[in-house]
Amino acid sequence: MSEAIRIAMWSGPRNISTAMMRSFGARQDCAVSDEPFYGAFLKASGEAHPMAAETIADMDCDWHSVTKTQSGPVPGGKPVWYQKHMPHHMTGPVSISDFPDHRHAFLIRAPERVVASYRAKNELREPEMLGFARLRSYFEAERERSGRTPPVVDSDDILRDPAGVLSKLCEALGIRWDPAMLAWEKGPHPEDGIWGVHWYDKVNASTGFGDPPGPLPELDGVYRDVAEACRSDYEALKAHAIRN
């Protein structure tokens, strides 16, 4: 039997990352996991996120233990394991370099869209909370380690052409394209983190990817400043984005 394929998809918050987890979870050959380092991040940082105490109580909060689990047996014995990771959670003693056998990919979204979505759900104080800089550094570290450019997908491109962009992503990851990735069951899913009741209202109401994106939202004050601070990292990653 061939070795399982473990996919680490790195993205900031509010990047359609849960919809992507739903998409991969719709494949019969794929297990998914939802932000496995979130509990460790909350415990170590003391960030007052919604449902922080409940999340810490529910999760393994040991950085090294979580790392071992994500590199261990695949849930359900599936041949593919899609892992939804947030680089801004990685404030402890482990990083992308601790996953040398994973196939890494990067999901990005225009900073204006991320800021507008995030501020509706949580306090936004600084650019680091959105993870753009670490996402770029992880991309560059993986490109240097592997000697090749890891796949990048932009949320806007996925929403404009889900089948086209996702089929190319699958090709880049070395897995077959499965049209089942375009639809999923409405409502919460068993693999969701318990924080989903606060964060996942839109994706829980969906059965597929949403409408193509409209114009970028207008921001002002500190929100505009945060988006602008993330721009250079976003543009650097966008230059490598898969397009159909």
Side-chain angles (χ1 to χ4, degrees), residues 6 28 32 63 68 131 159-160 186 189 192:
R6 292 170 179 80
Q28 291 297 310
V32 300
W63 297 95
K68 184 177 180 180
L159 293 176
R160 290 189 189 102
K186 182 183 289 189
H189 286 214
D192 295 352

Side-chain angles (χ1 to χ4, degrees), residues 15-222:
N15 276 234
I16 74 164
S17 56
T18 307
M20 286 289 284
M21 183 176 71
R22 291 278 191 273
S23 175
F24 276 82
R27 301 172 60 109
Q28 291 297 310
D29 65 350
C30 189
V32 300
S33 57
D34 191 9
E35 300 179 35
F37 288 100
Y38 192 22
F41 163 75
L42 290 171
K43 185 175 181 179
S45 68
E47 280 284 344
H49 282 200
M51 300 189 67
E54 295 90 336
T55 299
I56 292 169
D58 187 64
M59 297 189 77
D60 180 354
C61 295
D62 180 88
W63 297 95
H64 295 292
S65 175
V66 175
T67 301
K68 184 177 180 180
T69 296
Q70 298 306 119
S71 299
V74 180
K78 299 289 183 72
V80 181
W81 189 359
Y82 180 91
Q83 302 174 6
K84 173 189 168 192
H85 290 296
M86 300 276 164
H88 66 287
H89 289 168
M90 308 300 285
T91 57
V94 298
S95 73
I96 191 172
S97 65
D98 292 283
F99 297 96
D101 298 322
H102 283 56
R103 301 182 187 184
H104 297 278
F106 298 83
L107 173 65
I108 60 174
R109 192 184 190 191
E112 294 87 351
R113 300 194 196 280
V114 175
V115 169
S117 180
Y118 189 93
R119 71 177 183 179
K121 291 290 186 178
N122 196 27
E123 177 189 13
L124 180 57
R125 302 186 308 275
E126 56 191 5
E128 288 75 14
M129 298 176 73
L130 303 180
F132 280 92
R134 186 171 281 129
L135 191 68
R136 181 180 180 182
S137 71
Y138 275 17
F139 169 84
E140 292 172 348
E142 174 60 14
R143 181 166 58 170
E144 182 176 352
R145 184 199 70 81
S146 66
R148 64 179 187 85
T149 301
V152 178
V153 284
D154 189 295
S155 299
D156 282 7
D157 296 332
I158 293 170
L159 293 176
R160 290 189 189 102
D161 183 8
V165 175
L166 290 179
S167 61
K168 288 192 171 182
L169 173 62
C170 289
E171 180 181 1
L173 290 169
I175 62 175
R176 65 177 179 83
W177 159 242
D178 186 345
M181 295 174 69
L182 299 176
W184 51 81
E185 294 292 325
K186 182 183 289 189
H189 286 214
E191 303 87 357
D192 295 352
I194 63 168
W195 56 87
V197 297
H198 176 81
W199 294 94
Y200 294 173
D201 52 331
K202 286 189 176 180
V203 76
N204 284 345
S206 73
T207 57
F209 289 99
D211 296 329
L216 291 175
E218 295 286 339
L219 302 172
D220 55 19
V222 65

